[in-house]
Every structure is written in C-alpha cells, then in structure tokens.
Short mmCIF file of all heavy atoms in Angstrom, two decimals:
data_model
loop_
_atom_site.label_atom_id
_atom_site.label_comp_id
_atom_site.label_asym_id
_atom_site.label_seq_id
_atom_site.Cartn_x
_atom_site.Cartn_y
_atom_site.Cartn_z
N MET A 19 -52.20 142.14 91.55
CA MET A 19 -52.63 141.04 90.70
C MET A 19 -54.16 141.02 90.66
O MET A 19 -54.81 141.22 91.68
CB MET A 19 -52.10 139.72 91.24
CG MET A 19 -52.58 138.54 90.48
SD MET A 19 -51.76 137.02 90.96
CE MET A 19 -52.13 136.07 89.55
N LYS A 20 -54.69 140.76 89.52
CA LYS A 20 -56.13 140.65 89.37
C LYS A 20 -56.48 139.21 88.97
O LYS A 20 -55.69 138.54 88.33
CB LYS A 20 -56.64 141.63 88.32
CG LYS A 20 -56.49 143.07 88.74
CD LYS A 20 -57.15 144.00 87.76
CE LYS A 20 -56.98 145.41 88.27
NZ LYS A 20 -57.85 146.34 87.57
N PHE A 21 -57.67 138.80 89.35
CA PHE A 21 -58.16 137.46 89.03
C PHE A 21 -59.43 137.58 88.19
O PHE A 21 -60.12 138.58 88.23
CB PHE A 21 -58.46 136.68 90.31
CG PHE A 21 -57.26 136.44 91.17
CD1 PHE A 21 -56.97 137.25 92.25
CD2 PHE A 21 -56.40 135.39 90.90
CE1 PHE A 21 -55.87 137.04 93.04
CE2 PHE A 21 -55.29 135.15 91.68
CZ PHE A 21 -55.02 135.97 92.76
N THR A 22 -59.73 136.50 87.48
CA THR A 22 -60.92 136.47 86.63
C THR A 22 -61.91 135.44 87.18
O THR A 22 -61.55 134.28 87.37
CB THR A 22 -60.53 136.07 85.19
OG1 THR A 22 -59.51 136.94 84.74
CG2 THR A 22 -61.73 136.14 84.26
N ALA A 23 -63.13 135.89 87.43
CA ALA A 23 -64.18 134.99 87.89
C ALA A 23 -64.97 134.49 86.68
O ALA A 23 -65.42 135.27 85.84
CB ALA A 23 -65.12 135.72 88.84
N VAL A 24 -65.10 133.18 86.59
CA VAL A 24 -65.94 132.56 85.57
C VAL A 24 -67.25 132.22 86.28
O VAL A 24 -67.27 131.44 87.23
CB VAL A 24 -65.27 131.29 85.00
CG1 VAL A 24 -66.17 130.64 83.96
CG2 VAL A 24 -63.91 131.63 84.41
N ILE A 25 -68.34 132.81 85.80
CA ILE A 25 -69.62 132.73 86.53
C ILE A 25 -70.71 132.14 85.64
O ILE A 25 -70.81 132.47 84.46
CB ILE A 25 -70.06 134.14 86.98
CG1 ILE A 25 -68.98 134.76 87.87
CG2 ILE A 25 -71.41 134.09 87.70
CD1 ILE A 25 -69.19 136.24 88.14
N GLU A 26 -71.53 131.30 86.26
CA GLU A 26 -72.73 130.83 85.58
C GLU A 26 -73.87 130.79 86.59
O GLU A 26 -73.65 130.67 87.78
CB GLU A 26 -72.53 129.47 84.92
CG GLU A 26 -72.16 128.34 85.83
CD GLU A 26 -71.90 127.05 85.05
OE1 GLU A 26 -72.39 126.91 83.92
OE2 GLU A 26 -71.22 126.19 85.60
N LYS A 27 -75.07 130.93 86.08
CA LYS A 27 -76.25 130.91 86.94
C LYS A 27 -76.77 129.47 86.99
O LYS A 27 -77.06 128.88 85.95
CB LYS A 27 -77.32 131.86 86.43
CG LYS A 27 -78.42 132.10 87.44
CD LYS A 27 -79.28 133.28 87.04
CE LYS A 27 -80.24 133.61 88.16
NZ LYS A 27 -81.02 134.80 87.88
N GLY A 28 -76.89 128.96 88.20
CA GLY A 28 -77.38 127.59 88.38
C GLY A 28 -78.89 127.50 88.21
O GLY A 28 -79.60 128.51 88.20
N GLU A 29 -79.36 126.28 88.11
CA GLU A 29 -80.80 126.04 87.94
C GLU A 29 -81.61 126.53 89.14
O GLU A 29 -82.79 126.85 89.02
CB GLU A 29 -81.05 124.56 87.70
CG GLU A 29 -80.51 124.07 86.37
CD GLU A 29 -80.72 122.58 86.16
OE1 GLU A 29 -81.52 121.98 86.91
OE2 GLU A 29 -80.08 122.03 85.25
N ASN A 30 -80.95 126.58 90.31
CA ASN A 30 -81.64 127.02 91.53
C ASN A 30 -81.63 128.53 91.70
O ASN A 30 -82.10 129.06 92.70
CB ASN A 30 -81.00 126.37 92.76
CG ASN A 30 -79.53 126.73 92.92
OD1 ASN A 30 -78.96 127.48 92.13
ND2 ASN A 30 -78.89 126.18 93.94
N GLY A 31 -81.07 129.27 90.70
CA GLY A 31 -81.04 130.72 90.75
C GLY A 31 -79.79 131.29 91.38
O GLY A 31 -79.55 132.49 91.31
N TRP A 32 -78.97 130.46 92.00
CA TRP A 32 -77.72 130.91 92.61
C TRP A 32 -76.66 131.05 91.53
O TRP A 32 -76.70 130.36 90.51
CB TRP A 32 -77.25 129.91 93.66
CG TRP A 32 -78.00 129.99 94.96
CD1 TRP A 32 -79.34 129.84 95.14
CD2 TRP A 32 -77.44 130.20 96.25
NE1 TRP A 32 -79.66 129.96 96.45
CE2 TRP A 32 -78.50 130.18 97.17
CE3 TRP A 32 -76.16 130.42 96.73
CZ2 TRP A 32 -78.33 130.35 98.53
CZ3 TRP A 32 -75.99 130.58 98.09
CH2 TRP A 32 -77.06 130.57 98.97
N PHE A 33 -75.71 131.93 91.78
CA PHE A 33 -74.56 132.07 90.89
C PHE A 33 -73.42 131.20 91.41
O PHE A 33 -73.13 131.18 92.60
CB PHE A 33 -74.12 133.54 90.82
CG PHE A 33 -75.14 134.42 90.15
CD1 PHE A 33 -76.08 135.12 90.89
CD2 PHE A 33 -75.16 134.53 88.76
CE1 PHE A 33 -77.01 135.93 90.27
CE2 PHE A 33 -76.10 135.34 88.13
CZ PHE A 33 -77.03 136.03 88.89
N VAL A 34 -72.81 130.47 90.50
CA VAL A 34 -71.70 129.58 90.84
C VAL A 34 -70.49 130.07 90.06
O VAL A 34 -70.60 130.42 88.89
CB VAL A 34 -72.03 128.12 90.44
CG1 VAL A 34 -70.88 127.20 90.77
CG2 VAL A 34 -73.32 127.66 91.13
N GLY A 35 -69.34 130.11 90.72
CA GLY A 35 -68.17 130.62 90.04
C GLY A 35 -66.89 129.93 90.42
O GLY A 35 -66.80 129.21 91.42
N GLN A 36 -65.90 130.17 89.58
CA GLN A 36 -64.57 129.59 89.74
C GLN A 36 -63.57 130.66 89.32
O GLN A 36 -63.85 131.47 88.43
CB GLN A 36 -64.46 128.37 88.84
CG GLN A 36 -63.14 127.64 88.89
CD GLN A 36 -63.18 126.37 88.04
OE1 GLN A 36 -63.94 126.28 87.08
NE2 GLN A 36 -62.39 125.41 88.41
N VAL A 37 -62.41 130.67 89.95
CA VAL A 37 -61.37 131.62 89.59
C VAL A 37 -60.54 131.00 88.46
O VAL A 37 -59.96 129.92 88.64
CB VAL A 37 -60.49 131.97 90.80
CG1 VAL A 37 -59.38 132.93 90.40
CG2 VAL A 37 -61.35 132.59 91.90
N GLU A 38 -60.51 131.67 87.33
CA GLU A 38 -59.85 131.12 86.15
C GLU A 38 -58.38 130.81 86.41
O GLU A 38 -57.87 129.77 85.99
CB GLU A 38 -59.97 132.13 85.00
CG GLU A 38 -59.47 131.64 83.67
CD GLU A 38 -59.78 132.63 82.57
OE1 GLU A 38 -59.35 133.80 82.66
OE2 GLU A 38 -60.47 132.23 81.62
N GLU A 39 -57.69 131.67 87.14
CA GLU A 39 -56.26 131.50 87.40
C GLU A 39 -55.98 130.50 88.52
O GLU A 39 -54.85 130.01 88.64
CB GLU A 39 -55.62 132.85 87.75
CG GLU A 39 -55.68 133.88 86.63
CD GLU A 39 -57.01 134.64 86.56
OE1 GLU A 39 -57.92 134.38 87.37
OE2 GLU A 39 -57.14 135.48 85.66
N LEU A 40 -56.96 130.23 89.35
CA LEU A 40 -56.82 129.28 90.48
C LEU A 40 -58.06 128.38 90.48
O LEU A 40 -58.99 128.57 91.26
CB LEU A 40 -56.72 130.02 91.82
CG LEU A 40 -55.52 130.93 92.02
CD1 LEU A 40 -55.69 131.80 93.25
CD2 LEU A 40 -54.25 130.10 92.13
N PRO A 41 -58.08 127.37 89.62
CA PRO A 41 -59.29 126.56 89.43
C PRO A 41 -59.82 125.88 90.71
O PRO A 41 -61.00 125.54 90.76
CB PRO A 41 -58.86 125.51 88.41
CG PRO A 41 -57.68 126.09 87.73
CD PRO A 41 -57.01 126.98 88.72
N ALA A 42 -58.98 125.74 91.72
CA ALA A 42 -59.46 125.13 92.96
C ALA A 42 -60.30 126.10 93.79
O ALA A 42 -60.97 125.69 94.74
CB ALA A 42 -58.28 124.63 93.79
N ALA A 43 -60.29 127.38 93.44
CA ALA A 43 -61.09 128.38 94.14
C ALA A 43 -62.47 128.43 93.50
O ALA A 43 -62.67 129.00 92.43
CB ALA A 43 -60.42 129.75 94.08
N ILE A 44 -63.44 127.81 94.18
CA ILE A 44 -64.81 127.68 93.68
C ILE A 44 -65.75 128.14 94.79
O ILE A 44 -65.51 127.89 95.97
CB ILE A 44 -65.11 126.20 93.34
CG1 ILE A 44 -64.15 125.71 92.27
CG2 ILE A 44 -66.56 126.02 92.90
CD1 ILE A 44 -64.20 124.21 92.04
N SER A 45 -66.85 128.80 94.40
CA SER A 45 -67.82 129.21 95.40
C SER A 45 -69.16 129.49 94.73
O SER A 45 -69.34 129.26 93.53
CB SER A 45 -67.34 130.44 96.17
OG SER A 45 -68.12 130.61 97.33
N GLN A 46 -70.10 130.00 95.54
CA GLN A 46 -71.43 130.34 95.04
C GLN A 46 -71.96 131.53 95.83
O GLN A 46 -71.42 131.89 96.86
CB GLN A 46 -72.38 129.15 95.18
CG GLN A 46 -72.62 128.71 96.61
CD GLN A 46 -73.52 127.49 96.68
OE1 GLN A 46 -73.88 126.91 95.69
NE2 GLN A 46 -73.89 127.12 97.90
N GLY A 47 -73.03 132.13 95.33
CA GLY A 47 -73.67 133.24 96.02
C GLY A 47 -75.05 133.50 95.43
O GLY A 47 -75.31 133.17 94.28
N LYS A 48 -75.89 134.13 96.23
CA LYS A 48 -77.23 134.47 95.76
C LYS A 48 -77.19 135.58 94.72
O LYS A 48 -78.06 135.67 93.87
CB LYS A 48 -78.12 134.91 96.93
CG LYS A 48 -78.46 133.78 97.88
CD LYS A 48 -79.36 134.28 99.00
CE LYS A 48 -79.69 133.15 99.96
NZ LYS A 48 -80.54 133.61 101.07
N THR A 49 -76.17 136.44 94.81
CA THR A 49 -75.97 137.52 93.84
C THR A 49 -74.53 137.43 93.30
O THR A 49 -73.68 136.76 93.90
CB THR A 49 -76.16 138.91 94.49
OG1 THR A 49 -75.13 139.09 95.47
CG2 THR A 49 -77.53 139.04 95.15
N ILE A 50 -74.27 138.13 92.23
CA ILE A 50 -72.91 138.16 91.69
C ILE A 50 -71.95 138.80 92.69
O ILE A 50 -70.83 138.33 92.88
CB ILE A 50 -72.87 138.86 90.32
CG1 ILE A 50 -73.57 137.97 89.28
CG2 ILE A 50 -71.44 139.14 89.89
CD1 ILE A 50 -73.65 138.57 87.89
N GLU A 51 -72.39 139.86 93.35
CA GLU A 51 -71.54 140.51 94.34
C GLU A 51 -71.20 139.57 95.50
O GLU A 51 -70.06 139.54 95.96
CB GLU A 51 -72.19 141.79 94.87
CG GLU A 51 -72.19 142.92 93.86
CD GLU A 51 -70.80 143.22 93.29
OE1 GLU A 51 -69.84 143.36 94.06
OE2 GLU A 51 -70.68 143.32 92.05
N GLU A 52 -72.19 138.82 95.97
CA GLU A 52 -71.93 137.84 97.04
C GLU A 52 -70.99 136.75 96.56
O GLU A 52 -70.06 136.34 97.28
CB GLU A 52 -73.25 137.22 97.53
CG GLU A 52 -73.05 136.23 98.66
CD GLU A 52 -74.35 135.59 99.13
OE1 GLU A 52 -75.36 135.62 98.39
OE2 GLU A 52 -74.34 135.04 100.24
N LEU A 53 -71.17 136.30 95.34
CA LEU A 53 -70.29 135.29 94.76
C LEU A 53 -68.86 135.82 94.69
O LEU A 53 -67.91 135.12 95.06
CB LEU A 53 -70.76 134.88 93.37
CG LEU A 53 -69.77 134.05 92.55
CD1 LEU A 53 -69.45 132.73 93.24
CD2 LEU A 53 -70.28 133.83 91.15
N LYS A 54 -68.68 137.05 94.22
CA LYS A 54 -67.33 137.61 94.10
C LYS A 54 -66.66 137.71 95.46
O LYS A 54 -65.48 137.39 95.61
CB LYS A 54 -67.40 138.98 93.42
CG LYS A 54 -67.71 138.89 91.93
CD LYS A 54 -68.06 140.21 91.30
CE LYS A 54 -66.98 141.23 91.36
NZ LYS A 54 -67.35 142.48 90.64
N LYS A 55 -67.40 138.10 96.49
CA LYS A 55 -66.86 138.14 97.85
C LYS A 55 -66.45 136.74 98.29
O LYS A 55 -65.37 136.54 98.86
CB LYS A 55 -67.88 138.73 98.82
CG LYS A 55 -67.43 138.77 100.25
CD LYS A 55 -68.58 139.12 101.19
CE LYS A 55 -68.23 138.96 102.64
NZ LYS A 55 -67.85 137.61 103.03
N ASN A 56 -67.31 135.77 98.02
CA ASN A 56 -67.02 134.39 98.41
C ASN A 56 -65.81 133.82 97.65
O ASN A 56 -65.04 133.04 98.20
CB ASN A 56 -68.25 133.52 98.20
CG ASN A 56 -69.38 133.87 99.14
OD1 ASN A 56 -69.17 134.54 100.15
ND2 ASN A 56 -70.58 133.44 98.81
N LEU A 57 -65.66 134.22 96.38
CA LEU A 57 -64.50 133.77 95.61
C LEU A 57 -63.21 134.37 96.17
O LEU A 57 -62.18 133.69 96.24
CB LEU A 57 -64.65 134.13 94.14
CG LEU A 57 -65.62 133.26 93.34
CD1 LEU A 57 -65.83 133.83 91.95
CD2 LEU A 57 -65.15 131.81 93.27
N LEU A 58 -63.25 135.62 96.59
CA LEU A 58 -62.07 136.23 97.22
C LEU A 58 -61.71 135.49 98.51
O LEU A 58 -60.54 135.24 98.79
CB LEU A 58 -62.30 137.72 97.48
CG LEU A 58 -62.34 138.60 96.24
CD1 LEU A 58 -62.77 140.02 96.61
CD2 LEU A 58 -60.99 138.61 95.54
N ASP A 59 -62.72 135.11 99.30
CA ASP A 59 -62.48 134.31 100.50
C ASP A 59 -61.87 132.97 100.13
O ASP A 59 -60.95 132.49 100.81
CB ASP A 59 -63.78 134.09 101.27
CG ASP A 59 -64.29 135.35 101.96
OD1 ASP A 59 -63.51 136.31 102.13
OD2 ASP A 59 -65.48 135.37 102.33
N ALA A 60 -62.35 132.36 99.06
CA ALA A 60 -61.83 131.06 98.61
C ALA A 60 -60.36 131.19 98.18
O ALA A 60 -59.54 130.30 98.48
CB ALA A 60 -62.67 130.51 97.45
N ILE A 61 -60.02 132.29 97.53
CA ILE A 61 -58.62 132.52 97.14
C ILE A 61 -57.74 132.61 98.38
O ILE A 61 -56.68 131.98 98.45
CB ILE A 61 -58.49 133.81 96.29
CG1 ILE A 61 -59.12 133.62 94.92
CG2 ILE A 61 -57.02 134.22 96.15
CD1 ILE A 61 -59.25 134.91 94.12
N LYS A 62 -58.19 133.40 99.37
CA LYS A 62 -57.40 133.54 100.60
C LYS A 62 -57.21 132.20 101.29
O LYS A 62 -56.11 131.87 101.74
CB LYS A 62 -58.09 134.54 101.54
CG LYS A 62 -58.05 135.97 101.04
CD LYS A 62 -58.86 136.88 101.94
CE LYS A 62 -59.04 138.24 101.31
NZ LYS A 62 -59.97 139.08 102.06
N LEU A 63 -58.28 131.43 101.39
CA LEU A 63 -58.19 130.11 102.04
C LEU A 63 -57.24 129.19 101.28
O LEU A 63 -56.43 128.47 101.89
CB LEU A 63 -59.57 129.47 102.15
CG LEU A 63 -60.53 130.09 103.15
CD1 LEU A 63 -61.93 129.50 102.96
CD2 LEU A 63 -60.04 129.85 104.56
N LEU A 64 -57.32 129.19 99.97
CA LEU A 64 -56.47 128.36 99.15
C LEU A 64 -55.00 128.74 99.31
O LEU A 64 -54.13 127.89 99.50
CB LEU A 64 -56.89 128.47 97.68
CG LEU A 64 -56.11 127.65 96.67
CD1 LEU A 64 -56.27 126.16 96.95
CD2 LEU A 64 -56.58 127.96 95.26
N LEU A 65 -54.70 130.04 99.26
CA LEU A 65 -53.33 130.49 99.41
C LEU A 65 -52.79 130.18 100.81
O LEU A 65 -51.63 129.75 100.96
CB LEU A 65 -53.22 131.98 99.11
CG LEU A 65 -53.49 132.38 97.66
CD1 LEU A 65 -53.44 133.90 97.50
CD2 LEU A 65 -52.53 131.70 96.70
N ASP A 66 -53.62 130.37 101.84
CA ASP A 66 -53.19 130.05 103.20
C ASP A 66 -52.91 128.55 103.36
O ASP A 66 -51.92 128.15 103.97
CB ASP A 66 -54.25 130.48 104.23
CG ASP A 66 -54.29 131.98 104.42
OD1 ASP A 66 -53.33 132.68 104.01
OD2 ASP A 66 -55.29 132.47 104.98
N ALA A 67 -53.78 127.72 102.80
CA ALA A 67 -53.59 126.26 102.88
C ALA A 67 -52.32 125.84 102.15
O ALA A 67 -51.54 125.02 102.65
CB ALA A 67 -54.80 125.53 102.30
N ASN A 68 -52.09 126.41 100.96
CA ASN A 68 -50.88 126.08 100.21
C ASN A 68 -49.63 126.52 100.95
O ASN A 68 -48.61 125.81 100.95
CB ASN A 68 -50.92 126.71 98.82
CG ASN A 68 -51.90 126.02 97.90
OD1 ASN A 68 -52.34 124.91 98.16
ND2 ASN A 68 -52.25 126.68 96.82
N LYS A 69 -49.69 127.69 101.59
CA LYS A 69 -48.54 128.18 102.36
C LYS A 69 -48.23 127.22 103.51
O LYS A 69 -47.08 126.89 103.77
CB LYS A 69 -48.83 129.59 102.88
CG LYS A 69 -47.68 130.18 103.65
CD LYS A 69 -47.99 131.60 104.10
CE LYS A 69 -46.80 132.15 104.87
NZ LYS A 69 -47.06 133.52 105.33
N GLU A 70 -49.27 126.78 104.20
CA GLU A 70 -49.10 125.86 105.33
C GLU A 70 -48.48 124.54 104.87
O GLU A 70 -47.57 124.00 105.52
CB GLU A 70 -50.45 125.60 106.00
CG GLU A 70 -50.36 124.81 107.27
CD GLU A 70 -51.71 124.67 107.94
OE1 GLU A 70 -52.45 125.67 108.01
OE2 GLU A 70 -52.02 123.54 108.40
N ILE A 71 -48.94 124.01 103.75
CA ILE A 71 -48.38 122.76 103.20
C ILE A 71 -46.90 122.94 102.88
O ILE A 71 -46.07 122.09 103.22
CB ILE A 71 -49.18 122.33 101.95
CG1 ILE A 71 -50.57 121.87 102.34
CG2 ILE A 71 -48.43 121.23 101.19
CD1 ILE A 71 -51.53 121.72 101.17
N THR A 72 -46.57 124.05 102.23
CA THR A 72 -45.18 124.31 101.84
C THR A 72 -44.29 124.50 103.07
O THR A 72 -43.17 123.99 103.12
CB THR A 72 -45.09 125.54 100.92
OG1 THR A 72 -45.93 125.33 99.80
CG2 THR A 72 -43.68 125.80 100.46
N GLU A 73 -44.79 125.21 104.08
CA GLU A 73 -44.00 125.41 105.30
C GLU A 73 -43.68 124.08 105.96
O GLU A 73 -42.56 123.88 106.44
CB GLU A 73 -44.75 126.33 106.27
CG GLU A 73 -44.76 127.78 105.84
CD GLU A 73 -45.60 128.68 106.72
OE1 GLU A 73 -46.45 128.15 107.51
OE2 GLU A 73 -45.45 129.90 106.62
N LYS A 74 -44.61 123.15 105.96
CA LYS A 74 -44.37 121.82 106.55
C LYS A 74 -43.32 121.05 105.76
O LYS A 74 -42.52 120.33 106.34
CB LYS A 74 -45.68 121.03 106.62
CG LYS A 74 -46.62 121.53 107.69
CD LYS A 74 -47.90 120.72 107.74
CE LYS A 74 -48.85 121.27 108.78
NZ LYS A 74 -50.12 120.53 108.81
N GLU A 75 -43.33 121.20 104.43
CA GLU A 75 -42.36 120.50 103.59
C GLU A 75 -40.94 120.94 103.88
O GLU A 75 -40.00 120.15 103.75
CB GLU A 75 -42.67 120.74 102.10
CG GLU A 75 -43.88 120.00 101.60
CD GLU A 75 -44.15 120.27 100.13
OE1 GLU A 75 -43.22 120.70 99.42
OE2 GLU A 75 -45.29 120.07 99.70
N TYR A 76 -40.74 122.21 104.25
CA TYR A 76 -39.41 122.74 104.46
C TYR A 76 -39.04 122.86 105.94
O TYR A 76 -37.98 123.39 106.26
CB TYR A 76 -39.29 124.12 103.77
CG TYR A 76 -39.25 124.00 102.28
CD1 TYR A 76 -40.41 124.19 101.52
CD2 TYR A 76 -38.08 123.69 101.61
CE1 TYR A 76 -40.38 124.08 100.13
CE2 TYR A 76 -38.03 123.56 100.24
CZ TYR A 76 -39.19 123.76 99.50
OH TYR A 76 -39.15 123.64 98.13
N LEU A 77 -39.88 122.36 106.82
CA LEU A 77 -39.63 122.43 108.26
C LEU A 77 -38.28 121.78 108.59
O LEU A 77 -37.99 120.67 108.17
CB LEU A 77 -40.76 121.72 109.02
CG LEU A 77 -40.77 121.91 110.52
CD1 LEU A 77 -40.99 123.39 110.87
CD2 LEU A 77 -41.87 121.07 111.15
N GLY A 78 -37.46 122.51 109.31
CA GLY A 78 -36.16 121.99 109.74
C GLY A 78 -35.06 122.12 108.69
O GLY A 78 -33.92 121.74 108.95
N LYS A 79 -35.38 122.65 107.53
CA LYS A 79 -34.37 122.82 106.47
C LYS A 79 -33.90 124.27 106.43
O LYS A 79 -34.64 125.18 106.77
CB LYS A 79 -34.96 122.43 105.10
CG LYS A 79 -35.35 120.97 105.01
CD LYS A 79 -35.91 120.66 103.64
CE LYS A 79 -36.34 119.18 103.58
NZ LYS A 79 -36.89 118.85 102.25
N THR A 80 -32.68 124.45 106.01
CA THR A 80 -32.16 125.80 105.83
C THR A 80 -32.63 126.30 104.47
O THR A 80 -32.32 125.69 103.44
CB THR A 80 -30.62 125.80 105.87
OG1 THR A 80 -30.20 125.24 107.12
CG2 THR A 80 -30.07 127.19 105.72
N ILE A 81 -33.40 127.37 104.50
CA ILE A 81 -33.97 127.91 103.25
C ILE A 81 -33.79 129.42 103.19
O ILE A 81 -33.47 130.06 104.19
CB ILE A 81 -35.47 127.57 103.12
CG1 ILE A 81 -36.27 128.19 104.26
CG2 ILE A 81 -35.68 126.06 103.07
CD1 ILE A 81 -37.75 128.13 104.07
N ILE A 82 -33.98 129.95 102.05
CA ILE A 82 -34.02 131.41 101.83
C ILE A 82 -35.40 131.74 101.28
O ILE A 82 -35.91 131.07 100.39
CB ILE A 82 -32.94 131.82 100.81
CG1 ILE A 82 -31.55 131.49 101.34
CG2 ILE A 82 -33.08 133.31 100.47
CD1 ILE A 82 -30.46 131.63 100.31
N LYS A 83 -36.02 132.76 101.85
CA LYS A 83 -37.32 133.23 101.36
C LYS A 83 -37.16 134.61 100.74
O LYS A 83 -36.52 135.49 101.34
CB LYS A 83 -38.34 133.31 102.50
CG LYS A 83 -38.85 131.99 102.99
CD LYS A 83 -39.97 132.22 103.99
CE LYS A 83 -40.60 130.93 104.41
NZ LYS A 83 -41.75 131.15 105.31
N GLU A 84 -37.70 134.81 99.58
CA GLU A 84 -37.69 136.10 98.89
C GLU A 84 -39.10 136.41 98.41
O GLU A 84 -39.79 135.54 97.90
CB GLU A 84 -36.75 136.05 97.67
CG GLU A 84 -35.29 135.92 98.01
CD GLU A 84 -34.66 137.19 98.54
OE1 GLU A 84 -35.17 138.30 98.19
OE2 GLU A 84 -33.69 137.09 99.29
N GLU A 85 -39.53 137.66 98.61
CA GLU A 85 -40.86 138.06 98.13
C GLU A 85 -40.83 138.30 96.64
O GLU A 85 -39.83 138.77 96.08
CB GLU A 85 -41.30 139.36 98.82
CG GLU A 85 -41.72 139.15 100.25
CD GLU A 85 -42.37 140.39 100.85
OE1 GLU A 85 -42.61 141.37 100.11
OE2 GLU A 85 -42.63 140.35 102.05
N LEU A 86 -41.92 137.97 95.98
CA LEU A 86 -42.10 138.19 94.55
C LEU A 86 -43.32 139.08 94.37
O LEU A 86 -44.36 138.85 94.98
CB LEU A 86 -42.33 136.87 93.82
CG LEU A 86 -41.24 135.81 93.93
CD1 LEU A 86 -41.71 134.51 93.30
CD2 LEU A 86 -39.97 136.30 93.27
N ASP A 87 -43.19 140.10 93.55
CA ASP A 87 -44.32 140.96 93.22
C ASP A 87 -44.76 140.69 91.81
O ASP A 87 -43.97 140.79 90.86
CB ASP A 87 -43.94 142.44 93.35
CG ASP A 87 -43.73 142.86 94.79
OD1 ASP A 87 -44.46 142.35 95.66
OD2 ASP A 87 -42.86 143.70 95.03
N LEU A 88 -46.01 140.31 91.66
CA LEU A 88 -46.57 140.06 90.34
C LEU A 88 -47.28 141.33 89.88
O LEU A 88 -48.21 141.80 90.52
CB LEU A 88 -47.55 138.89 90.39
CG LEU A 88 -48.08 138.39 89.08
CD1 LEU A 88 -46.93 137.93 88.17
CD2 LEU A 88 -49.03 137.22 89.31
N ILE A 89 -46.82 141.85 88.78
CA ILE A 89 -47.37 143.13 88.29
C ILE A 89 -48.48 142.87 87.31
O ILE A 89 -48.50 141.99 86.54
CB ILE A 89 -46.27 143.98 87.64
CG1 ILE A 89 -45.20 144.29 88.69
CG2 ILE A 89 -46.83 145.24 87.06
CD1 ILE A 89 -43.97 144.98 88.14
#
C-alpha cells in the first residue's frame, strides 16, 4: 500500500504535511525527506493506537481474526 503526503511550506521555513489517506497522521520537518520520515512514523503510531483501541473493545469476546492484503 502506498500513501500520499500533502505538503506545504510553513512561514517558519519548515515543511508541514498530512497523509491524504489517514488525515490524523500529521507531522513536520526541516526538509521534505525529514517530513516524509516523520509522516511514516505518524502512520505507524496511528495504526498501533487504533489496534490497541480495537483490541480493548473485543477483550474477552470470542472473535475471528483474518489478515487482509491491500494491493
């Protein structure tokens, strides 16, 4: 899966970005490369947090988990 970074240059010279497919993933960087690295970290943190929330919701319940591959 690929993600799209929406980037703009702030008044302070830093680059600020958001992941188009995951709007809650927001970050900044002094360079575009640093911003992209930070956005990838933001995606990982967001997915981990969402997984933790979901695991708590189903705690103690009988569930089935199946992996999904997004092409």
Side-chain angles (χ1 to χ4, degrees):
M19 176 172 200
K20 293 187 179 194
F21 297 97
T22 306
V24 179
I25 302 169
E26 60 183 338
K27 192 166 188 175
E29 293 178 14
N30 61 0
W32 283 57
F33 293 94
V34 179
Q36 180 175 27
V37 178
E38 187 173 58
E39 297 83 0
L40 297 168
I44 300 169
S45 195
Q46 63 182 6
K48 290 181 181 179
T49 65
I50 290 178
E51 287 307 311
E52 181 181 19
L53 168 62
K54 288 168 61 176
K55 178 190 171 300
N56 293 343
L57 284 172
L58 289 172
D59 289 342
I61 290 170
K62 291 175 191 172
L63 289 170
L64 181 62
L65 294 176
D66 287 343
N68 287 344
K69 182 178 180 181
E70 187 176 317
I71 290 167
T72 303
E73 286 175 344
K74 287 180 182 178
E75 287 180 20
Y76 289 97
L77 190 63
K79 296 180 182 180
T80 302
I81 62 169
I82 298 169
K83 287 187 174 184
E84 292 285 333
E85 286 189 7
L86 301 173
D87 290 325
L88 188 59
I89 299 173

